[in-house]
Amino acid sequence: MPKPVDLDHTADIARITINRPDSLNALTKETIEALSDALDRTQDARAVTITGAGDEAFIAGADIGYMQDLSTTEAYEFAKIGHDKVMRKIAGHPAPVIAAINGYAFGGGCEVALACDLRVASENATIGQPELDVGIIPSWGGIQRLARLVGDERARRMVFFSQRLSAKEALEVGLVGEVVAQEELDERVRTLAEDLADRPKIALQAAKEAFTRVHEAPLSAGLAYEQRLWSGLFGTHDQREGMAAFVEKRDPIFE
Ligand code: COA
């Protein structure tokens, strides 16, 4: 069995790759644990990059097949491990973390990118928080961080209508910092990581920590609230129907 997450940690730069290309790198519990472990093992890096294996997806979201039948309590726990083991570890990582968005970044994938310090997208990337299509809402910061990054109105439109932005649109609204040709993404992200690794380490870490504080107090309250709201949706007709429809490859019939 291939590992769900690959870690290439040489010298000062750590490259993390979510490695489930057959499932478009969707995040299972096992993948979350492996990503968490990779983040733990990169604490001494001066720059970290995260990407998805294959040329189709960064991360196409949390695993819908797994979430389909979760109870409210189980959903709350799943939201919690995502926050504790991935999102907080990225945001709180001492080094800057760059998302190399090489294709679909939906739901939890968009949230991983949002938790990163910088986002570079390839021209074929598509980014969004389409959770309403399966009867739930974002839970790993996809409302709190998205609204802070792109503005409240734009974020509401993205979430309410499950808008999926092209890389160009994502650049226009500030959701990503730059867009490059697909074949140039690795090289561009490597160069950014090398440039960061050349910066004064302690000062760069302090700068990251200071940026984290910009939103910290209200953000944590919003995240906790979002997590409770999200798990409360499990067991509703629209959540069960939306996820069943996805798994069965048919259109959902919502209440
Ligand atoms: N969870 C679980 N499996 C997923 C997944 C997810 N979030 N996203 C994709 N997959 C799986 C599919 O089930 C499929 O598996 P299969 O080959 O065993 O049937 C495989 O990845 C390829 O996906 P598929 O839908 O066939 O590819 P596509 O090119 O037609 O569509 C997407 C790609 C990304 C548009 C589509 O997969 C999609 O909409 N995924 C869900 C995105 C989403 O809503 N994320 C938020 C979840 S809360």
Side-chain angles (χ1 to χ4, degrees), residues 13 35 74 98 100 108 111 117 121 129 137 143 151 187 199 207 225:
I13 297 169
L35 180 51
E74 291 164 338
I98 308 171
E111 288 165 316
D117 296 88
Q129 298 284 169
I137 62 172
I143 291 179
E187 184 55 34
R199 307 291 294 157
Y225 191 56

Side-chain angles (χ1 to χ4, degrees), residues 100-138:
I101 307 171
N102 57 318
Y104 299 118
F106 290 150
C110 184
E111 288 165 316
V112 167
L114 287 167
C116 290
D117 296 88
L118 303 174
R119 285 155 289 278
V120 184
S122 59
E123 283 166 348
N124 66 317
T126 318
I127 308 174
Q129 298 284 169
E131 283 90 343
L132 256 81
D133 283 355
V134 291
I136 58 169
I137 62 172

Side-chain angles (χ1 to χ4, degrees), residues 121 127 149-151 154 158 165-179:
I127 308 174
L149 190 62
V150 305
R154 167 64 65 181
M158 285 181 66
L165 303 191
S166 67
K168 186 167 168 282
E169 290 167 331
L171 181 64
E172 281 165 9
V173 302
L175 179 45
V176 301
E178 58 185 301
V179 176

Side-chain angles (χ1 to χ4, degrees), residues 48-62:
V48 178
T49 68
I50 300 179
T51 196
D55 53 13
E56 278 186 86
F58 174 66
I59 299 167

Side-chain angles (χ1 to χ4, degrees), residues 4 35 54 75 87 117 121 133 135 139 142 180 201 206:
L35 180 51
M87 307 304 162
D117 296 88
D133 283 355
S139 72
V180 298
K201 185 176 184 180

Side-chain angles (χ1 to χ4, degrees), residues 22-24 26 60-64 67 104 106-107 130-131 134 246 249:
D22 291 347
S23 300
L24 302 181
D63 192 280
I64 298 174
M67 293 189 292
Y104 299 118
F106 290 150
E131 283 90 343
V134 291
F246 177 82
K249 301 187 187 302

